[in-house]
Amino acid sequence: MAALPIQPHPSRGAWNYTIHPVTGRPVDSQAATAHHSPDHARSQALEILSDPALTGTSRQELDALTTRLAPAQAAQTEQRCYQQRGGRRRRAPGAGSRPLLGDVDRILITIIYLRQVCSQKVMSEMLEVNPTSIGQAIAATRRLLEEHRHAVTPTMLRFSHPNDLLDYLDHGITVSRPRLPEVLSDPALTGISRQELQQLTERLALRQAAQTERRRHKRRGRQRLPGTRGGIFRHKITDAERVLAAVLSQRGVCTRRVLADLLDVSPRTIGNALLDVRPLLEQDGYAVAPAGRRFSTAAALLDFVNRQQDAPPTKTPR
């Protein structure tokens, strides 16, 4: 069907269309089928995900990492297969079905996930692979990266839909929040320097992680099962954004609804973040310095920050 010259009509084009005569050389049906096969689409999606703008590393460095991890991946795969079989191999290596994701692919999607470019759900849609398989591949490869002490630095880019990711690579368009936390952390809003805010966030990091684990333990009613992981996308907003929102709220800079509009979440999410972080701020001894101005809309707050940045620096009298 994809190879046919079909022209949909303006009204109900899903079934109301015209098939034009095929002109020129006849279409190779096998080539057309291969071009539109799931394997071909998956290889194209993997090529897109390997873009240095997403991985944070060049393709040569990614190939070198793949070569370095190849022996450990092979041993890990053999151990997993041995446990699944419950004994020694019965057939020669290479016999049987091949996995949808190869060793190189598993490293790539793990790096994309650890950089927090997108969630497992987005990669599942792009690769047409079951989310369970995506999660298992990331969990296994993540352990190898940790054993080899290969650190993956998260990026500020966030994509919640495959089309958003493609628009960013093709046209530089992003609908994520790449710089908004930096804007909101302006000292004119927080009352402290960016360095002090970063230090405050780092001091609260372990307490936030422990708080999250206590909540999940209470929800599960038991210990975490062996082999499971905490994940990367623990909240709809990051821990740093939660601290930033709590600081702005404590100072009375704006309402919860304004914070929700700025961070693109619901007011309930902001409320839950404030309930979690406010006690941590009190335990840390954070002194609240009331803001001199309160903003009722997100546009007014951003306009204030822009004017602050555009204003010429004041000269200190001698």
Side-chain angles (χ1 to χ4, degrees):
M1 291 292 292
L4 292 175
I6 297 178
Q7 179 184 5
H9 292 186
S11 176
R12 307 185 186 279
W15 54 266
N16 185 21
Y17 52 82
T18 298
I19 302 179
H20 295 282
V22 177
T23 58
R25 189 171 52 185
V27 178
D28 186 349
S29 59
Q30 292 184 350
T33 302
H35 180 74
H36 296 280
S37 66
D39 292 338
H40 180 78
R42 189 176 303 111
S43 63
Q44 286 186 324
L46 290 168
E47 180 66 22
I48 292 173
L49 292 176
S50 64
D51 192 291
L54 301 180
T55 61
T57 182
S58 66
R59 298 183 189 273
Q60 292 78 9
E61 293 173 335
L62 188 60
D63 293 339
L65 175 63
T66 302
T67 303
R68 184 156 57 94
L69 294 182
Q73 277 187 304
Q76 188 184 64
T77 300
E78 186 61 30
Q79 180 181 8
R80 183 179 64 253
C81 293
Y82 184 92
Q83 293 175 348
Q84 292 174 348
R85 291 191 304 263
R88 297 177 60 85
R89 182 187 298 275
R90 299 179 181 178
R91 292 187 292 182
S97 60
R98 296 178 57 187
L100 296 178
L101 297 173
D103 291 344
V104 179
D105 308 332
R106 296 160 73 90
I107 294 176
L108 174 61
I109 65 174
T110 303
I111 290 177
I112 293 296
Y113 181 71
L114 293 179
R115 280 178 58 78
Q116 303 182 21
V117 173
C118 61
S119 65
Q120 296 181 14
K121 180 181 178 182
V122 173
M123 285 190 284
S124 175
E125 294 178 5
M126 294 184 65
L127 301 176
E128 298 184 12
V129 176
N130 188 289
T132 302
S133 300
I134 295 284
Q136 292 174 347
I138 290 176
T141 309
R142 185 179 185 178
R143 288 195 295 270
L144 290 181
L145 293 175
E146 293 173 351
E147 292 172 359
H148 285 73
R149 298 186 178 184
H150 180 83
V152 179
T153 305
T155 179
M156 294 299 294
L157 295 172
R158 301 288 187 276
F159 301 103
S160 57
H161 194 274
N163 290 338
D164 298 338
L165 189 150
L166 296 176
D167 288 340
Y168 170 74
L169 293 179
D170 293 340
H171 311 292
I173 301 174
T174 175
V175 295
S176 57
R177 311 188 306 271
R179 298 184 60 83
L180 191 54
E182 182 178 347
V183 173
L184 296 180
S185 62
D186 191 290
L189 299 178
T190 62
I192 55 178
S193 66
R194 298 183 189 274
Q195 183 179 2
E196 292 173 327
L197 179 62
Q198 182 180 357
Q199 293 173 350
L200 175 63
T201 303
E202 292 175 353
R203 289 199 303 270
L204 299 184
L206 290 178
R207 300 177 191 174
Q208 288 197 85
Q211 190 180 62
T212 300
E213 186 56 34
R214 283 197 301 268
R215 185 188 305 112
R216 292 187 173 184
H217 182 276
K218 183 178 179 180
R219 189 183 306 151
R220 291 190 304 263
R222 52 177 170 75
Q223 294 291 336
R224 187 187 301 275
L225 295 176
T228 58
R229 67 203 190 291
I232 292 293
F233 300 89
R234 299 187 177 185
H235 307 288
K236 294 181 180 178
I237 55 177
T238 64
D239 288 346
E241 292 171 344
R242 290 159 63 87
V243 174
L244 176 60
V247 169
L248 296 177
S249 176
Q250 289 283 80
R251 299 194 69 227
V253 173
C254 57
T255 63
R256 295 183 183 183
R257 182 167 294 278
V258 172
L259 288 173
D261 292 340
L262 289 167
L263 297 175
D264 194 23
V265 294
S266 67
R268 182 177 179 180
T269 299
I270 295 296
N272 292 336
L274 299 182
L275 289 175
D276 290 342
V277 179
R278 277 176 176 172
L280 301 181
L281 291 175
E282 295 176 0
Q283 296 172 11
D284 189 72
Y286 170 73
V288 179
R293 182 173 178 179
R294 186 176 178 85
F295 301 93
S296 57
T297 63
L301 187 149
L302 294 176
D303 180 66
F304 169 78
V305 175
N306 292 332
R307 284 190 282 107
Q308 288 288 115
Q309 295 176 348
D310 295 338
T314 57
K315 294 183 179 180
T316 304
R318 295 180 179 179

